[in-house]
Amino acid sequence: MALAPMITIAPVHAQKVPDTVRIGYQKSSTLITVLKTRGTLEQRLGALGVKVTWHEFASGLPLLEALNVGAIDVSADVADTVPVFALAAGAQLTYIAQEAPSPSAQAIVVKADSPIKTLADLRGKRIGFAKAAGAHYLLIAALEKAGLSLKDIQLAYLAPADGRAAFERGAIDAWVIWDPFLAAVERQSQVRVLSDGRGLADYQRYYLASTPFAKARPDVVKVVVNSLLETGKWVKQSPRDAANLLAPVWGLDAATIEQANARRSYDVRAVVPERLAEQQKIADAFLAEGLLPKKVNATAVPVF
């Protein structure tokens, strides 16, 4: 395995098959959080002699950076923008599943009394968002619609918690954010949605594994994917139960979580080349802004 230490045993060329899967996730990783809270994967993978460890990250970019350097084996869902940056860094990653689009689950918000009324009004304003997140691409697409680019605004790269604090104290004029943080600020503050992703960014979320791990333990990856598919259906069919389960874990009230979950598809499906078309569009947009070091072929990637 390229990203794992070599184990010297007899015969000397043999390699140890991983008996632990290290799963990385973030707060918006709803389905993985449900599985973690219920202990589902520990039970199912335990039958295969596989242990599970959990590793939380503030946003998608550091999550996939950890996948790239071999610190984790499987990544919970990240926005469609994030793998593009990982690919540009030469990451050995395999797409194992995809959630169908949820364009209204991320948005550009301003204070309710803000003078910003249109996307064109963002010119010269200070806007906060997480670098490489889906929010980053939504902002690029929204600015383009208004005849602007990132060079026409003041950028503030902020993780979700820092972004909320900066937005509340007026340090930024607008905040680009995703659920459940979006639902939380809508319910807890006087805000106005300037634009969500509809007509601008599909916001498809991807689950990934390091390619060496996917090759070494396809049985583990299959259990994870099947569990995600099953959990996605449960969350949509039982929204109140899902919200009640997540509330103490996320530290949010159930009504806020239910509002956020209503905007996510949670429709877990296989990744096929024709569904990666927007990935290339995203990669080209970031390259044009000078944010990628090289052109990325976002559709020529391993899929599970």
Side-chain angles (χ1 to χ4, degrees):
M1 294 177 290
L3 299 181
M6 299 297 292
I7 306 298
T8 303
I9 56 176
V12 293
H13 63 273
Q15 296 176 341
K16 187 177 184 295
V17 176
D19 59 5
T20 298
V21 56
R22 299 164 297 170
I23 300 177
Y25 66 101
Q26 52 184 320
K27 190 167 187 176
S28 56
S29 302
T30 309
L31 304 187
I32 282 289
T33 301
V34 171
L35 291 171
K36 178 178 183 290
T37 303
R38 287 175 153 181
T40 305
L41 292 180
E42 283 87 348
Q43 180 180 357
R44 294 178 179 177
L45 293 176
L48 299 176
V50 175
K51 297 178 182 178
V52 182
T53 62
W54 303 94
H55 309 268
E56 186 172 3
F57 296 83
S59 61
L61 185 59
L63 176 50
L64 285 203
E65 286 174 346
L67 188 73
N68 184 23
V69 300
I72 60 171
D73 306 303
V74 172
S75 166
D77 52 310
V78 294
D80 40 16
T81 55
V82 187
V84 167
F85 282 80
L87 290 170
Q92 297 184 68
L93 54 83
T94 295
Y95 288 69
I96 63 174
Q98 172 197 67
E99 283 183 19
S102 303
S104 62
Q106 56 177 357
I108 304 170
V109 296
V110 296
K111 295 286 185 63
D113 59 355
S114 171
I116 299 172
K117 304 297 182 183
T118 69
L119 292 173
D121 294 336
L122 293 173
R123 183 188 293 274
K125 299 298 190 293
R126 186 167 176 81
I127 304 173
F129 57 94
K131 185 177 183 180
H136 198 161
Y137 178 66
L138 171 58
L139 179 59
I140 291 174
L143 291 171
E144 182 180 8
K145 181 180 179 180
L148 304 174
S149 74
L150 292 179
K151 296 179 179 65
D152 296 308
I153 64 169
Q154 299 178 57
L155 309 181
Y157 290 139
L158 298 167
D162 296 330
R164 174 71 182 267
F167 182 69
E168 296 285 6
R169 69 174 183 268
I172 54 177
D173 301 296
W175 187 30
V176 197
I177 192 59
W178 59 93
D179 278 319
F181 309 102
L182 172 59
V185 76
E186 285 181 301
R187 294 180 64 87
Q188 297 165 4
S189 302
Q190 296 297 313
V191 303
R192 175 164 38 87
V193 172
L194 189 66
S195 176
D196 63 22
R198 286 175 290 189
L200 295 173
D202 280 348
Y203 192 48
Q204 300 179 93
R205 294 179 69 91
Y206 289 89
Y207 298 85
L208 305 108
S210 74
T211 297
F213 185 85
K215 289 180 177 178
R217 294 306 308 249
D219 54 338
V220 172
V221 174
K222 184 177 180 179
V223 169
V224 172
V225 171
N226 287 342
S227 298
L228 289 168
L229 191 152
E230 174 187 296
T231 304
K233 291 179 179 177
W234 177 76
V235 169
K236 297 306 283 188
Q237 291 168 0
S238 307
R240 180 61 55 84
D241 291 340
N244 288 333
L245 177 73
L246 291 165
V249 181
W250 282 354
L252 295 170
D253 63 277
T256 295
I257 295 172
E258 196 167 350
Q259 177 177 320
N261 286 348
R263 291 189 287 229
R264 287 274 296 275
S265 74
Y266 297 126
D267 179 12
V268 179
R269 59 192 188 179
V271 180
V272 293
E274 53 267 30
R275 289 179 182 158
L276 289 171
E278 192 178 33
Q279 289 292 91
Q280 190 61 56
K281 184 179 178 181
I282 290 169
D284 293 342
F286 279 117
L287 182 68
E289 290 286 353
L291 294 167
L292 287 184
K294 62 181 180 181
K295 185 174 178 61
V296 169
N297 186 345
T299 61
V301 292
V303 298
F304 183 74

